[in-house]
């Protein structure tokens, strides 16, 4: 097995006229004309278990709230969410036998609500994960046949047609999570009846059939696709790089005490070098997670401790950083964006922008009325 080293990033701390009535009127007219597409970022933020969209404007020197608005409708926070590129989707349970998926595309600010189980009556089901890939919506679910017997499926729905657009793919074990890459759907499952071991069901995206079953053993934390169309299978003590075409596997082990700990970080963001931006758990600190970057090609983790680029005053009094809730990357401007929860108010948060090149540098901070959850960049 390969091992890797951790690099601790030492960041330098930085400290971040008049108008007449006609000028004010002109400014107001300009603001009225602000549209959704004038925003640089769309921030999903959580407040009181509700997700809402906040548009942001930025420049080289500052980031601020935008007066423009999105058509995105506030949704209750849910564990069954999907985010990729400009797409946000969430599942809402309506009854024991029905539910809907709301898909919002931030590239054109449009929404689509899909009824998922209209063909089923008098059933008891639970959805475990969703994925949107092109025109196909994948929904993994558990159907209770009796009080002691469950059956497992992935439902593929073609959203480009209105009739005969559903295929139910039978699985042997309970589905937990899905990842799509290279024309194939990878489903992480667990055997709850006998072994409690995990496995991977590989489904051909074209004919919607299971083409491989791969045993994974115990304690798989999550799966996700990287920028090279590999599937990363994450454990606490190692990760597996699975070639999505050949199903060949490479195992990367960690030295004790030097684990990158990206195994429980969701909605991961990669840069064009294939580096992963994520929240890393940390011990013996006021906050339980910090920003981090993992370089898969060199097996290196870079940890960004707040104390290395914020003063004590900024950390505890000015910004009041309580915990890291989001880490993402703006590949146009080479900026890492870090969302955090306020130390003294768990319903509010803030957003830090960190310039990565030529040396890491704190650009600015923006206080928010919600807690950052995920960010979409407007190209």
């Amino acid at each position: 097995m390969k091992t890797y080293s951790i690099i601790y990033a030492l960041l330098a701390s930085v400290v971040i006229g008049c108008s007449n009535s006609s000028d004010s009127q002109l400014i107001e007219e300009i603001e009225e004309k602000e549209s959704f597409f004038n925003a640089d970022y769309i921030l999903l933020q959580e407040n009181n278990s509700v997700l809402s969209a906040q548009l942001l404007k930025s420049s080289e020197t500052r980031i601020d709230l935008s007066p423009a608005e999105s058509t995105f409708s506030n949704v209750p926070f849910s564990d069954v969410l999907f985010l990729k590129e400009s797409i946000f989707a969430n599942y809402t349970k309506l009854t024991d036998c029905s539910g809907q998926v709301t898909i919002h595309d931030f590239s054109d600010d449009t929404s689509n609500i899909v009824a998922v189980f209209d063909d089923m009556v008098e059933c008891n089901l639970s959805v475990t994960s969703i994925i949107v890939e092109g025109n196909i919506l994948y929904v993994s679910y558990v159907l209770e046949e009796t009080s002691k017997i469950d059956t497992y499926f992935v439902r593929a729905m073609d959203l480009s047609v209105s009739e005969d657009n559903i295929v139910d793919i039978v699985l042997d074990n309970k589905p937990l999570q899905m990842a799509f890459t290279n024309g194939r759907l990878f489903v992480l499952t667990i055997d709850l009846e006998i072994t409690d071991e995990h496995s991977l069901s590989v489904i051909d995206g074209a004919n919607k059939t299971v083409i491989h079953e791969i045993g994974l053993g115990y304690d798989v934390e999550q799966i996700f696709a990287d920028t090279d169309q590999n599937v990363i299978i994450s454990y606490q003590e190692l990760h597996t790089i699975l070639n999505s075409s050949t199903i060949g596997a490479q195992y990367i082990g960690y030295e004790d005490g030097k684990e990158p700990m990206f195994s429980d970080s969701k909605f991961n963001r990669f840069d064009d070098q294939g580096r992963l931006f994520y929240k890393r758990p940390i011990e013996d600190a006021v906050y339980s997670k910090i920003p981090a970057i993992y370089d898969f090609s060199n097996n290196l983790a870079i940890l960004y401790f707040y104390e290395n680029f914020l003063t004590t005053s900024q950390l505890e009094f000015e910004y009041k950083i309580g915990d890291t809730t989001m880490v993402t990357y703006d590949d146009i401007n080479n900026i890492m964006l870090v969302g955090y929860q306020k130390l003294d108010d768990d319903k509010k948060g803030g957003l830090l922008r960190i310039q990565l090149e030529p040396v890491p540098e704190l650009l600015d901070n923006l206080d928010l009325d919600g807690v950052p959850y995920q960010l979409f960049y407007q190209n």
Side-chain angles (χ1 to χ4, degrees):
M1 290 186 179
K2 294 183 179 179
T3 59
Y4 80 102
S5 301
I6 284 184
I7 296 177
Y8 295 89
L10 299 178
L11 307 184
S13 297
V14 297
V15 180
I16 315 288
C18 296
S19 63
N20 56 35
S21 59
S22 60
D23 292 335
S24 299
Q25 183 179 359
L26 179 60
I27 292 173
E28 290 176 0
E29 291 175 355
I30 292 174
E31 288 183 348
E32 287 177 358
K33 294 179 181 179
E34 283 276 11
S35 72
F36 167 82
F37 299 100
N38 293 128
D40 296 298
Y41 302 105
I42 306 103
L43 174 70
L44 282 183
Q45 57 184 3
E46 186 264 331
N47 192 310
N48 290 320
S49 298
V50 174
L51 285 177
S52 62
Q54 172 63 61
L55 275 61
L56 306 175
K57 290 281 289 182
S58 67
S59 66
E60 291 184 359
T61 57
R62 62 177 296 177
I63 187 169
D64 209 342
L65 305 180
S66 168
E69 296 182 354
S70 168
T71 62
F72 178 83
S73 298
N74 295 359
V75 297
F77 185 83
S78 167
D79 289 332
V80 186
L81 298 174
F82 172 76
L83 297 97
K84 182 180 179 182
E85 296 174 350
S86 64
I87 300 295
F88 168 86
N90 73 293
Y91 175 79
T92 303
K93 180 177 179 177
L94 301 178
T95 69
D96 287 341
C97 195
S98 66
Q100 64 185 30
V101 173
T102 302
I103 304 170
H104 191 92
D105 188 344
F106 283 107
S107 67
D108 57 8
D109 202 32
T110 57
S111 288
N112 183 23
I113 298 177
V114 182
V116 183
F117 300 110
D118 274 2
D119 59 314
M120 303 176 70
V121 293
E122 297 183 2
C123 67
N124 190 357
L125 59 83
S126 58
V127 169
T128 58
S129 64
I130 59 175
I131 273 188
V132 180
E133 182 62 33
N135 291 323
I136 307 298
L137 167 65
Y138 294 98
V139 181
S140 64
Y141 68 99
V142 179
L143 181 64
E144 182 182 289
E145 300 288 355
T146 70
S147 60
K148 296 183 178 180
I149 300 175
D150 291 333
T151 50
Y152 311 115
F153 301 91
V154 169
R155 171 162 288 202
M157 303 184 68
D158 188 343
L159 305 181
S160 65
V161 296
S162 57
E163 297 181 357
D164 298 324
N165 64 339
I166 296 174
V167 177
D168 277 323
I169 306 159
V170 181
L171 301 175
D172 293 332
N173 298 307
K174 179 182 179 179
L176 301 176
Q177 187 194 353
M178 298 184 289
F180 193 97
T181 188
N182 196 26
R184 294 176 171 182
L185 181 71
F186 295 80
V187 186
L188 176 65
T189 66
I190 186 170
D191 182 355
L192 294 177
E193 296 181 6
I194 302 175
T195 67
D196 284 334
E197 290 188 79
H198 291 92
S199 58
L200 197 64
S201 297
V202 185
I203 297 172
D204 186 288
N207 57 35
K208 308 297 187 290
T209 57
V210 178
I211 56 176
H212 296 289
E213 289 283 357
I214 305 168
L216 301 178
Y218 299 98
D219 302 325
V220 177
E221 297 287 338
Q222 69 161 326
I223 61 171
F224 57 89
D226 67 10
T227 55
D228 294 323
Q229 296 188 326
N230 298 310
V231 176
I232 306 299
I233 304 166
S234 181
Y235 305 77
Q236 284 288 345
E237 71 280 4
L238 61 87
H239 69 265
T240 301
I241 302 175
L242 185 75
N243 186 299
S244 61
S245 297
T246 67
I247 313 300
Q250 180 184 9
Y251 305 96
I252 309 297
Y254 313 135
E255 295 179 12
D256 289 342
K258 295 185 178 180
E259 299 86 353
M261 296 185 184
F262 57 74
S263 58
D264 64 348
S265 182
K266 296 182 180 180
F267 311 128
N268 301 312
R269 181 71 163 88
F270 292 87
D271 65 9
D272 56 6
Q273 302 174 53
R275 300 186 304 169
L276 173 67
F277 290 70
Y278 68 104
K279 300 176 295 183
R280 186 191 188 277
I282 195 73
E283 296 180 356
D284 302 325
V286 174
Y287 34 82
S288 61
K289 297 180 179 67
I290 61 171
I293 301 174
Y294 184 71
D295 185 342
F296 282 90
S297 62
N298 295 304
N299 302 326
L300 295 174
I302 306 174
L303 312 184
Y304 291 82
F305 286 93
Y306 288 112
E307 295 88 346
N308 291 332
F309 59 93
L310 294 176
T311 66
T312 301
S313 177
Q314 288 173 322
L315 185 61
E316 298 180 2
F317 302 106
E318 186 177 353
Y319 303 154
K320 300 178 182 178
I321 295 177
D323 201 9
T324 306
T325 61
M326 179 205 80
V327 180
T328 189
Y329 177 68
D330 174 353
D331 54 355
I332 302 297
N333 298 301
N334 193 26
I335 293 173
M336 179 166 67
L337 298 107
V338 179
Y340 64 90
Q341 188 177 52
K342 291 291 185 179
L343 184 63
D344 60 344
D345 189 344
D346 61 7
K347 294 181 177 61
K348 294 187 177 182
L351 185 67
L352 299 173
R353 293 195 305 164
I354 301 171
Q355 185 75 49
L356 297 177
E357 301 292 344
V359 294
E361 179 182 351
L362 176 66
L363 296 180
D364 51 30
N365 168 79
L366 177 65
D367 290 330
L368 299 163
D369 286 331
V371 178
Y373 186 72
Q374 188 56 280
L375 196 76
F376 299 89
Y377 182 72
Q378 288 277 73
N379 291 321

